[in-house]
Protein backbone atom coordinates (compact mmCIF):
# COMPACT_ATOMS: atom_id res chain seq x y z
CA UNK A 1 0.00 0.00 0.00
CA UNK A 2 2.84 2.35 0.86
CA UNK A 3 4.54 1.85 -2.51
CA UNK A 4 1.34 2.56 -4.44
CA UNK A 5 0.75 5.73 -2.39
CA UNK A 6 4.30 6.90 -3.09
CA UNK A 7 3.90 6.08 -6.76
CA UNK A 8 0.66 8.06 -6.87
CA UNK A 9 2.35 11.05 -5.25
CA UNK A 10 5.23 10.90 -7.73
CA UNK A 11 2.82 10.70 -10.69
CA UNK A 12 0.78 13.63 -9.34
CA UNK A 13 4.00 15.59 -8.81
CA UNK A 14 5.21 14.94 -12.36
CA UNK A 15 1.83 15.85 -13.82
CA UNK A 16 1.81 19.07 -11.79
CA UNK A 17 5.24 20.04 -13.09
CA UNK A 18 4.20 19.29 -16.67
CA UNK A 19 1.05 21.36 -16.22
CA UNK A 20 3.03 24.35 -14.91
CA UNK A 21 5.61 24.08 -17.70
CA UNK A 22 2.92 23.91 -20.39
CA UNK A 23 1.10 26.90 -18.85
CA UNK A 24 4.32 28.93 -18.84
CA UNK A 25 5.01 27.97 -22.44
CA UNK A 26 1.47 28.96 -23.42
CA UNK A 27 1.94 32.38 -21.77
CA UNK A 28 5.13 32.94 -23.76
CA UNK A 29 3.22 32.25 -26.96
CA UNK A 30 0.59 34.84 -26.04
CA UNK A 31 3.24 37.53 -25.46
CA UNK A 32 4.71 37.21 -28.95
CA UNK A 33 3.79 39.55 -31.79
CA UNK A 34 0.38 38.50 -33.18
CA UNK A 35 1.43 39.77 -36.61
CA UNK A 36 4.78 37.97 -36.80
CA UNK A 37 3.54 35.76 -39.63
CA UNK A 38 2.86 38.81 -41.78
CA UNK A 39 5.48 40.63 -43.80
CA UNK A 40 5.67 43.98 -45.54
CA UNK A 41 4.68 42.19 -48.77
CA UNK A 42 1.32 41.32 -47.18
CA UNK A 43 0.38 44.98 -46.72
CA UNK A 44 -1.46 47.29 -49.15
CA UNK A 45 0.38 50.32 -47.81
CA UNK A 46 4.09 50.91 -47.22
CA UNK A 47 3.70 54.02 -45.07
CA UNK A 48 1.41 55.27 -42.32
CA UNK A 49 0.83 58.92 -41.45
CA UNK A 50 -0.71 59.54 -38.04
CA UNK A 51 -2.38 62.95 -38.21
CA UNK A 52 -2.42 64.54 -34.76
CA UNK A 53 -5.42 63.07 -32.95
CA UNK A 54 -7.87 65.65 -31.60
CA UNK A 55 -10.67 65.95 -29.04
CA UNK A 56 -14.21 66.21 -30.38
CA UNK A 57 -15.52 69.80 -30.37
CA UNK A 58 -18.29 68.66 -27.99
CA UNK A 59 -15.61 67.89 -25.41
CA UNK A 60 -15.30 64.83 -23.21
CA UNK A 61 -16.33 64.06 -19.66
CA UNK A 62 -12.74 63.97 -18.43
CA UNK A 63 -11.33 67.39 -17.58
CA UNK A 64 -7.97 66.43 -16.12
CA UNK A 65 -5.66 66.23 -19.16
CA UNK A 66 -7.50 64.67 -22.07
CA UNK A 67 -4.83 65.96 -24.47
CA UNK A 68 -2.10 64.09 -22.60
CA UNK A 69 -4.14 60.90 -22.46
CA UNK A 70 -4.93 61.15 -26.17
CA UNK A 71 -1.24 61.75 -26.94
CA UNK A 72 -0.41 58.60 -24.95
CA UNK A 73 -2.89 56.60 -27.04
CA UNK A 74 -1.43 57.96 -30.29
CA UNK A 75 2.16 57.28 -29.27
CA UNK A 76 1.21 53.78 -28.15
CA UNK A 77 -0.39 53.22 -31.57
CA UNK A 78 2.75 54.43 -33.36
CA UNK A 79 4.97 52.24 -31.17
CA UNK A 80 2.87 49.15 -31.93
CA UNK A 81 2.94 49.89 -35.66
CA UNK A 82 6.73 50.30 -35.63
CA UNK A 83 7.15 47.16 -33.52
CA UNK A 84 5.11 45.17 -36.03
CA UNK A 85 7.77 45.96 -38.67
CA UNK A 86 5.09 45.82 -41.38
CA UNK A 87 5.51 49.36 -42.72
CA UNK A 88 8.48 51.18 -44.21
CA UNK A 89 7.64 54.41 -42.42
CA UNK A 90 5.33 55.40 -39.56
CA UNK A 91 5.29 59.11 -38.76
CA UNK A 92 3.32 61.85 -37.05
CA UNK A 93 2.13 64.73 -39.23
CA UNK A 94 0.11 67.84 -38.44
CA UNK A 95 -1.55 67.76 -41.87
CA UNK A 96 -1.79 64.78 -44.17
CA UNK A 97 0.54 64.64 -47.15
CA UNK A 98 -0.54 63.09 -50.45
CA UNK A 99 1.70 60.23 -51.49
CA UNK A 100 1.53 56.77 -52.98
CA UNK A 101 1.16 53.64 -50.89
CA UNK A 102 0.38 55.65 -47.76
CA UNK A 103 -2.44 55.28 -45.27
CA UNK A 104 -3.57 58.38 -43.37
CA UNK A 105 -4.89 57.79 -39.86
CA UNK A 106 -7.15 60.37 -38.22
CA UNK A 107 -8.40 59.97 -34.66
CA UNK A 108 -11.05 61.89 -32.76
CA UNK A 109 -11.48 61.36 -29.02
CA UNK A 110 -15.25 61.21 -28.54
CA UNK A 111 -15.54 59.77 -25.04
CA UNK A 112 -13.23 59.52 -22.06
CA UNK A 113 -13.55 58.98 -18.36
CA UNK A 114 -10.57 57.89 -16.34
CA UNK A 115 -11.05 57.25 -12.65
CA UNK A 116 -8.36 59.01 -10.63
CA UNK A 117 -6.06 57.23 -8.22
CA UNK A 118 -7.56 58.95 -5.18
CA UNK A 119 -11.09 57.94 -6.13
CA UNK A 120 -9.91 54.42 -6.87
CA UNK A 121 -8.18 54.12 -3.48
CA UNK A 122 -11.04 55.63 -1.45
CA UNK A 123 -14.04 54.30 -3.36
CA UNK A 124 -12.56 51.21 -5.01
CA UNK A 125 -14.88 49.60 -7.54
CA UNK A 126 -17.70 52.00 -6.58
CA UNK A 127 -15.82 54.74 -8.45
CA UNK A 128 -16.99 53.02 -11.65
CA UNK A 129 -15.18 52.05 -14.78
CA UNK A 130 -12.78 54.05 -16.89
CA UNK A 131 -13.63 54.22 -20.59
CA UNK A 132 -12.24 55.72 -23.75
CA UNK A 133 -13.54 55.91 -27.34
CA UNK A 134 -11.60 57.16 -30.36
CA UNK A 135 -13.31 57.47 -33.75
CA UNK A 136 -10.67 56.42 -36.29
CA UNK A 137 -10.73 57.19 -40.01
CA UNK A 138 -8.33 55.48 -42.42
CA UNK A 139 -7.80 57.35 -45.69
CA UNK A 140 -5.85 56.40 -48.83
CA UNK A 141 -3.32 59.24 -49.24
CA UNK A 142 -3.06 58.94 -53.03
CA UNK A 143 -6.78 59.11 -53.81
CA UNK A 144 -8.12 60.82 -50.69
CA UNK A 145 -10.80 58.13 -50.43
CA UNK A 146 -12.03 56.85 -47.09
CA UNK A 147 -10.81 53.26 -46.69
CA UNK A 148 -12.55 52.52 -43.39
CA UNK A 149 -13.77 54.16 -40.21
CA UNK A 150 -14.68 52.79 -36.83
CA UNK A 151 -15.04 53.61 -33.15
CA UNK A 152 -12.29 52.00 -31.10
CA UNK A 153 -13.62 51.63 -27.57
CA UNK A 154 -12.20 50.11 -24.44
CA UNK A 155 -13.11 50.18 -20.77
CA UNK A 156 -11.66 48.84 -17.58
CA UNK A 157 -12.95 46.47 -14.97
CA UNK A 158 -13.71 48.48 -11.80
CA UNK A 159 -12.75 45.56 -9.56
CA UNK A 160 -9.35 45.25 -11.26
CA UNK A 161 -8.95 49.01 -10.90
CA UNK A 162 -9.65 48.76 -7.17
CA UNK A 163 -7.29 45.82 -6.75
CA UNK A 164 -4.47 47.56 -8.65
CA UNK A 165 -5.07 50.98 -6.98
CA UNK A 166 -5.83 52.52 -10.37
CA UNK A 167 -3.03 50.97 -12.45
CA UNK A 168 -5.50 49.47 -14.92
CA UNK A 169 -7.14 52.87 -15.33
CA UNK A 170 -3.79 54.45 -16.21
CA UNK A 171 -3.07 51.73 -18.78
CA UNK A 172 -6.29 52.43 -20.70
CA UNK A 173 -4.79 54.89 -23.26
CA UNK A 174 -2.01 52.41 -24.06
CA UNK A 175 -4.57 49.66 -24.61
CA UNK A 176 -6.64 51.89 -26.88
CA UNK A 177 -3.52 52.78 -28.86
CA UNK A 178 -2.77 49.08 -29.30
CA UNK A 179 -6.32 48.44 -30.50
CA UNK A 180 -6.03 51.26 -33.03
CA UNK A 181 -2.75 49.80 -34.30
CA UNK A 182 -4.38 46.38 -34.68
CA UNK A 183 -7.25 47.95 -36.63
CA UNK A 184 -4.78 49.72 -38.92
CA UNK A 185 -2.81 46.53 -39.57
CA UNK A 186 -5.94 44.42 -40.18
CA UNK A 187 -7.36 47.02 -42.58
CA UNK A 188 -4.03 47.37 -44.41
CA UNK A 189 -3.68 43.67 -45.25
CA UNK A 190 -3.96 42.67 -48.91
Amino acid sequence: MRNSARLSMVVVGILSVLLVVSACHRNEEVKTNPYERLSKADMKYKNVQLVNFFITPRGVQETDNPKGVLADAQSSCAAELMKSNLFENVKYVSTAERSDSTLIVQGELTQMRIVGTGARIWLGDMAGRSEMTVHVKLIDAASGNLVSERDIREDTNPFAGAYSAGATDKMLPLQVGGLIAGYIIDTSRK
Side-chain angles (χ1 to χ4, degrees):
M1 204 61 159
R2 285 185 177 166
N3 287 339
S4 65
R6 285 184 188 159
L7 181 60
S8 297
M9 288 177 58
V10 168
V11 169
V12 168
I14 291 172
L15 290 175
S16 298
V17 169
L18 290 174
L19 183 64
V20 169
V21 168
S22 69
C24 291
H25 178 68
R26 195 172 306 129
N27 286 341
E28 286 178 18
E29 290 175 7
V30 171
K31 292 179 186 177
T32 61
N33 181 356
Y35 301 104
E36 68 185 11
R37 294 187 181 170
L38 293 176
S39 69
K40 291 178 182 175
D42 296 321
M43 309 307 286
K44 293 179 207 173
Y45 300 98
K46 292 182 182 177
N47 306 302
V48 175
Q49 294 179 7
L50 295 165
V51 179
N52 294 333
F53 290 6
F54 65 97
I55 300 169
T56 184
R58 297 182 308 272
V60 292
Q61 183 176 349
E62 182 74 26
T63 58
D64 184 39
N65 189 16
K67 287 183 181 179
V69 171
L70 187 57
D72 289 346
Q74 187 172 11
S75 65
S76 173
C77 173
E80 289 294 319
L81 290 173
M82 287 186 252
K83 187 172 95 176
S84 73
N85 203 27
L86 294 173
F87 302 98
E88 295 292 326
N89 193 2
V90 176
K91 66 179 180 176
Y92 297 102
V93 295
S94 55
T95 56
E97 305 163 1
R98 296 230 180 225
S99 61
D100 291 334
S101 192
T102 300
L103 184 68
I104 298 169
V105 180
Q106 298 175 342
E108 176 184 6
L109 179 66
T110 58
Q111 181 181 15
M112 184 174 84
R113 176 180 184 267
I114 296 184
V115 176
T117 304
R120 199 47 94 193
I121 290 171
W122 288 103
L123 298 173
D125 64 313
M126 292 187 301
R129 66 180 65 241
S130 294
E131 54 191 357
M132 186 174 179
T133 304
V134 178
H135 185 77
V136 178
K137 288 184 180 181
L138 305 179
I139 300 166
D140 184 283
S143 67
N145 293 334
L146 180 68
V147 174
S148 180
E149 68 180 310
R150 177 173 149 187
D151 282 337
I152 304 293
R153 181 185 187 288
E154 183 70 311
D155 59 16
T156 61
N157 182 323
F159 295 103
Y163 179 77
S164 67
T168 58
D169 301 300
K170 291 177 184 169
M171 294 298 295
L172 184 62
L174 305 179
Q175 292 171 337
V176 169
L179 291 173
I180 294 170
Y183 171 57
I184 293 166
I185 291 170
D186 289 341
T187 304
S188 298
R189 293 171 71 174
K190 288 182 182 176

